[in-house]
Amino acid sequence: MTITIELPTEAEAGLRKRARFKGQAFDEYVKGVLVRESEPTLAELLKPIHDETKRSGITEEELEELIDSELAEVRRETPLWSR
């Protein structure tokens, strides 16, 4: 998709400076910024988990214990050299 946008001079200058700093062409840098902005945030990704946790009635302490025990089990089952 191709789009044309009008940027304030200061915004364009700032984006060009960041693109140069990263060693990228201006258009590729701006495309990367737009693509990253279109991706879901961590809060959006975790919302279904937060909603289900809240609906379940589990307490924060119970959830922490569950996560800790699952993490400990994974660590026991996964050899250190494969992590």
Side-chain angles (χ1 to χ4, degrees):
M1 174 179 160
T2 301
I3 63 170
T4 302
I5 58 173
E6 293 290 324
L7 289 174
T9 304
E10 300 82 19
E12 180 184 354
L15 289 168
R16 287 190 182 280
K17 183 178 179 180
R18 289 179 181 173
R20 279 192 307 275
F21 180 77
K22 292 192 169 229
Q24 294 180 309
F26 177 70
D27 58 338
E28 288 299 314
Y29 177 76
V30 172
K31 182 169 72 171
V33 169
L34 294 172
V35 167
R36 279 191 304 280
E37 284 297 314
S38 71
E39 294 171 350
T41 65
L42 183 57
E44 291 168 335
L45 291 171
L46 293 177
K47 186 177 182 332
I49 296 168
H50 288 190
D51 292 348
E52 180 60 28
T53 301
K54 190 174 186 178
R55 190 183 66 72
S56 75
I58 192 171
T59 67
E60 285 188 35
E61 293 80 21
E62 291 169 330
L63 180 59
E64 187 174 335
E65 287 174 17
L66 176 63
I67 291 170
D68 287 345
S69 74
E70 292 298 319
L71 182 57
E73 184 176 334
V74 167
R75 286 181 174 157
R76 279 191 304 273
E77 294 173 355
T78 306
L80 187 57
W81 58 87
S82 67
R83 290 187 206 166

